[in-house]
Structure formats: structure tokens, C-alpha cells
Amino acid sequence: MAIRTRFSRSFLFSNYSKSNFRNALGSRRNVQISRRACSKFQIPGYSLNVSRLSPNEVTSTIRANEYSQDFPTGPVKSYDTNQLASNNPIEDTRAEGKSLLSDAFLVGVFDGHAGAACAQVLAKRLFKYVAASLLSGEEISKLHTSLRDGGESRIIDYFNDRYEFVNELKSLYAQSFGKYVEDLASGQSTASIPNVPEALVTSFLRLDSDISREASTDLQGSKTLSVSMSGAVACVAVIQACHLHVATVGDCQAVVGIMTESKTWAAKKVSIEHNSDNMEEVERILSEHPPGEKTKIIERERLLGQLAPLRAFGDFRYKWSREELERLAVPRYGKTVIAPHYETPPYLTAKPDVMYHRITPKDKFLVIASDGLWDLLSPLQVVRMVGEHMSGRAALSPLRLPHNMKLKDINTILEQRKDGLNKVPVDRNGATHLIRNALGGSEYGGVEHSRISQLLSLPQDVVRLFRDDITITVVYFDSDYISHCPL
């Protein structure tokens, strides 16, 4: 993008530590990348002088942000997640949680641009909006009454969430959420049960609208304006029993790993990308503006020649009227904040496309990731890697045989475990396994230590030329639970 303004996480959070997200070796300057390696990344003639990292240093770096969570019951058996920064601070965020008011499990990846502020806010706020939208009319009325009477507004049980907004933002965001619940309560009958795709669309658009309103009415301005002028794409999955809904805004992707009848892995994409490769999306945008703008709206495969994703949260420099930009943004960011050929806004929306997938026992896992992963691996490669990782990890678990099992069946299980031992992974976390293979995978299989070492040793001022921030969450389904789900 033309605008690369950075907004420190400390503007938003009360206990932020940059060391949690900094590439452990990103500040090194002594790194050696050959001309041949650079040409492989299509930067001919670019040469760096650098040292290699040891295998232990590589492992320490890529495991720094990994996390795993197991569940005793329900459709989700466990999940693995990890992040690897390219930007400093990282512009990706992630969130996982369970609704305290329903059976919904939510997982999301948020890829920020022009700073990390908008993505950070989405990770902390969007699930509450979604969870409220998924309640029946009677349940939303109870929630509204509780909030009105000063009750607890915590409706999501987040996992691996270490941050809290600063008090002024916490209060402002609580007011916005309370007003949303009030509007939901006044607009629903007590018997209504929401349609999940509609609930996702409503919650996404309302949060984006609230971010705009907060920036334009908050007298303090600096923090809320920072959120509104940065942007983020999002991919959020809602799992309820055997039902999977995936809402996408932008170019994060989600894929389901399926074990076929022939015991091979298949990948099913359950997300829609909003970029210039999606011709339906390009045509949609062009159809919303006068024919005279047709050659100006998409230039160099970017919105107004600047923004790669064609849908996003925030980014109100592509949504507000010219008058609003002159009043709110120009005084702080200057005239260049208004894009060339800015004639008939809005050019951008946060409305998601929602895909539905009925989870079956053949569906073993879901992978959601930012485009930092998909730039390096295809959906099928990702599914095969996670599938092999599952087999290898299972071979290390204790063997428990049911009573009265036939010798032939026992022999089959032992043969499967023997095969799995040949695939025992270096990393127990599936997301870390993907990061290691995405950065170090060779054309002949396996991981080249020299390759991953070089990519992890790049100085901060050039690393973004070679790789993007990577955020991955792998959700493993419980096949036994799924097999008993009603049709």
C-alpha cells in the first residue's frame, strides 16, 4: 500500500510487550543470503551478508508463539495455533473462544495492513458481536436487560488471550456493544432464532460501522482514528455441533482436510477471497460506480491502485466521503490520505461472504491462515502436511486397544502405527509444523535447514520483501462426536 503508517499496540492495550511478537532474530544484521537464493525470490542482484542460525535457534524462533488447547467434549477435539512475524510489530492477530451463551466455538485470523490497530481491535471485539447475533430473541432480551442493569458483559471465553484494552477504549467499546445488543433486542421477536449467515453479515457490518462512528465522534480521536485508518481482512469460523460456517472479508483462507474412501487427503476450500483474481468481485465493485471510473477503480490489481484486498474492515480512507476525510483524516495524515480518483465512495465494504459446510466423520480438521501461508503453500499441500503430522503424532500416543479385539484388527493397528513412526514430526504443534515446512520445504520433500535459516535471519528492513506475517490455526474435529450428530 502507498500508506504504511504504523500504530503501536501500546496505543490500544494496557499490558503489551513487543517482545511477545518480535521475530527473535529479526534485528540481526550479519546474515548471508547468496545471489542465487535472492534470485529464487525474484529479486535479482540483491545481496546480503549474513550468518546462519543453528537448528536450535530456528526451532526456538518458530515455536515462540505457538499454543495448543484440548477440549473434553464437543465437535472440536483440540486446536493448534502459531504466528511468525515479518512486520515489527506483527500486523496479524488471531482469536479463539467459546460463546458462554450458546454452543458456538469461534476461531478467527485477522490480517492487518497500514498498521496493526484494526486487526487487534477485531480480535478483541468481533466475537462478541457474532455471539450476540447468534442468540434467539428471548436470549438477546435477557442479555440486554443484564447489560442495562450493569451486569457482566463477558459473553466469550477466550483462549490464550493476554491483553486488555486501555480503560478509555474499554469503556467506549462497551458502550458500542451495549447499543448493538439494545438494537438487536428491539428488532427481534422473542421466538426468533437467527439465521447464521445473516447473523454473521449483520455483526461484521455493525462492528465496522461502530469503528467508523467511534472515530468520527470520539473527541480524544487519536486512538480511534488510528483504528479506522488502518485496515484488516478477516476469516472467522463458527462451529456449532456438526455445522461449520466460515465468513470471509478479504484474502485470508480456510480449508477443510478430508480423508477420502481411498485413504488419501483432499482439500475443500470453505472461504472466498476478495482480490483482483476474483473476477466476480471485480465486477461487483465496478458495477457500483459510474462507467467513467471503470479504468481507475482497479489499477495494478489494487483498489484505486493502492489496496490489494477488495473487502476489509477499517480503511475508512476508502469509505468516508471526501468531506469526512478532509475534516477527520487530512489534519493528521495530510492530503495524501485521499486516494487518486476518489470520486464516488465508498469503494470498500466489510460485508463478508459466508460459506456453509456440514461436518462429517471424513472431515478431520480445519485450517485458517493469513495469506503469508497461502503465498507459500497450496490448500492441498497444507492439508497433506497436517494429515501426515496427525499420523506421526498419533504414533507417539499410548496404544489403547478395546476389549475382545480380533488379532487381525490388532495387527492392522500395529501396522498403521509402524507407518506413522516414519512420519514422526519435529513439532507437536500442527501450525508450527506448517510454518517450518512453508519456509524450509524443498522441491524434493523434507525441510532444508539452510533455507529456513536464511529466511529467519533477514534484517528487519528487508524481511518483508521475502515473506509476510504468517498466522495459522488448525482446528481438529472429534470424529466420534461428529459420527453421532443428527443429519
Side-chain angles (χ1 to χ4, degrees):
M1 282 186 60
I3 186 170
R4 296 293 297 171
T5 310
R6 304 285 183 179
F7 306 110
S8 169
R9 194 180 184 103
S10 59
F11 272 100
L12 305 175
F13 295 96
S14 56
N15 57 344
Y16 166 62
S17 170
K18 285 185 178 179
S19 62
N20 289 329
F21 292 97
R22 184 183 296 127
N23 184 321
L25 297 157
S27 60
R28 285 200 173 200
R29 301 289 176 181
N30 288 353
V31 204
Q32 168 74 50
I33 291 192
S34 67
R35 186 178 299 271
R36 179 180 177 187
C38 289
S39 65
K40 190 171 184 179
F41 289 98
Q42 299 180 342
I43 306 181
Y46 198 94
S47 181
L48 300 171
N49 295 318
V50 229
S51 62
R52 300 284 178 86
L53 304 185
S54 70
N56 285 340
E57 287 176 309
V58 165
T59 295
S60 177
T61 300
I62 66 174
R63 289 182 181 176
N65 295 311
E66 69 178 12
Y67 177 82
S68 298
Q69 178 76 40
D70 298 321
F71 301 99
T73 59
V76 175
K77 179 184 293 185
S78 64
Y79 76 83
D80 294 334
T81 188
N82 200 354
Q83 294 183 281
L84 182 69
S86 171
N87 295 292
N88 185 14
I90 189 171
E91 294 183 338
D92 284 4
T93 55
R94 37 134 293 276
E96 308 84 40
K98 281 187 173 181
S99 171
L100 296 174
L101 304 178
S102 69
D103 62 346
F105 178 85
L106 301 98
V107 55
V109 168
F110 312 96
D111 185 350
H113 48 263
C118 186
Q120 293 165 358
V121 166
L122 293 182
K124 293 289 292 183
R125 298 180 68 185
L126 183 57
F127 283 7
K128 290 180 68 174
Y129 280 64
V130 171
S133 301
L134 292 173
L135 299 177
S136 68
E138 182 177 357
E139 291 167 332
I140 200 68
S141 294
K142 290 180 180 178
L143 177 60
H144 174 232
T145 300
S146 174
L147 295 178
R148 185 189 60 197
D149 296 341
E152 175 63 59
S153 63
R154 180 173 171 266
I155 65 171
I156 295 289
D157 182 14
Y158 286 99
F159 307 104
N160 193 33
D161 176 28
R162 296 165 289 175
Y163 305 101
E164 285 292 339
F165 287 121
V166 294
N167 288 334
E168 55 199 290
L169 287 181
K170 188 186 297 186
S171 174
L172 177 65
Y173 293 160
Q175 292 174 20
S176 294
F177 178 68
K179 184 63 170 66
Y180 180 50
V181 171
E182 179 183 345
D183 292 346
L184 287 175
S186 63
Q188 290 186 330
S189 68
T190 56
S192 65
I193 299 177
N195 174 280
V196 177
E198 290 180 2
L200 285 164
V201 170
T202 299
S203 56
F204 275 49
L205 289 176
R206 177 56 180 261
L207 177 54
D208 196 53
S209 175
D210 282 352
I211 291 171
S212 172
R213 178 184 50 77
E214 290 156 0
S216 59
T217 59
D218 179 23
L219 296 179
Q220 299 172 26
S222 61
K223 298 178 180 64
T224 52
L225 187 61
S226 296
V227 174
S228 67
M229 297 308 291
S230 64
V233 299
C235 187
V236 172
V238 178
I239 301 170
Q240 294 176 290
C242 298
H243 306 289
L244 168 65
H245 289 86
V246 178
T248 312
V249 172
D251 52 8
C252 291
Q253 294 185 50
V255 60
V256 172
I258 302 171
M259 176 64 76
T260 67
E261 296 286 353
S262 59
K263 303 300 179 184
T264 59
W265 288 104
K268 179 179 179 180
K269 286 187 66 173
V270 286
S271 59
I272 296 174
E273 298 161 77
H274 303 123
N275 54 34
S276 60
D277 293 331
N278 182 340
M279 292 311 300
E280 288 187 10
E281 183 67 5
V282 171
E283 290 299 325
R284 178 193 66 80
I285 294 175
L286 295 180
S287 70
E288 294 175 353
H289 300 274
E293 291 188 69
K294 189 172 184 179
T295 59
K296 303 172 184 176
I297 293 175
I298 306 293
E299 290 187 286
R300 300 184 302 278
E301 300 181 343
R302 290 169 176 258
L303 184 68
L304 298 177
Q306 296 182 346
L307 188 65
L310 301 183
R311 299 191 197 186
F313 283 90
D315 283 321
F316 286 96
R317 63 192 301 254
Y318 306 107
K319 297 174 182 175
W320 284 339
S321 69
R322 180 177 286 270
E323 291 72 21
E324 287 175 303
L325 288 173
E326 292 278 3
R327 177 172 61 88
L328 298 168
V330 169
R332 181 172 177 186
Y333 300 104
K335 287 284 187 181
T336 57
V337 76
I338 303 179
H341 313 300
Y342 198 77
E343 299 171 12
T344 57
Y347 293 94
L348 194 65
T349 180
K351 182 179 180 180
D353 272 324
V354 182
M355 293 189 67
Y356 170 75
H357 177 74
R358 171 59 161 80
I359 307 170
T360 72
K362 295 179 182 178
D363 303 323
K364 302 303 179 182
F365 54 83
L366 168 73
V367 180
I368 299 181
S370 59
D371 63 350
L373 176 69
W374 307 112
D375 288 343
L376 301 172
L377 297 173
S378 70
L380 184 56
Q381 286 176 313
V382 166
V383 165
R384 286 174 174 170
M385 286 178 184
V386 175
E388 291 174 359
H389 182 265
M390 287 177 62
S391 299
R393 193 166 62 173
L396 296 177
S397 61
L399 178 60
R400 295 184 177 88
L401 297 175
H403 296 295
N404 302 321
M405 177 173 271
K406 296 181 180 180
L407 286 175
K408 181 176 72 172
D409 296 330
I410 294 175
N411 183 67
T412 299
I413 291 175
L414 292 175
E415 289 292 335
Q416 291 173 346
R417 287 178 67 87
K418 181 180 178 181
D419 291 340
L421 287 172
N422 297 325
K423 304 173 184 176
V424 172
V426 175
D427 307 293
R428 291 194 66 84
N429 183 292
T432 306
H433 179 74
L434 285 175
I435 290 175
R436 186 185 296 274
N437 281 270
L439 297 184
S442 71
E443 298 173 2
Y444 311 103
V447 174
E448 291 182 2
H449 170 70
S450 61
R451 177 180 168 85
I452 190 172
S453 174
Q454 288 169 347
L455 285 173
L456 291 178
S457 304
L458 290 169
Q460 189 60 49
D461 54 352
V462 299
V463 62
R464 191 61 179 80
L465 299 173
F466 293 86
R467 61 179 177 85
D468 197 357
D469 295 331
I470 299 175
T471 298
I472 305 168
T473 301
V474 184
V475 179
Y476 300 95
F477 299 128
D478 188 324
S479 296
D480 291 338
Y481 179 94
I482 299 298
S483 65
H484 293 92
C485 277
L487 295 177

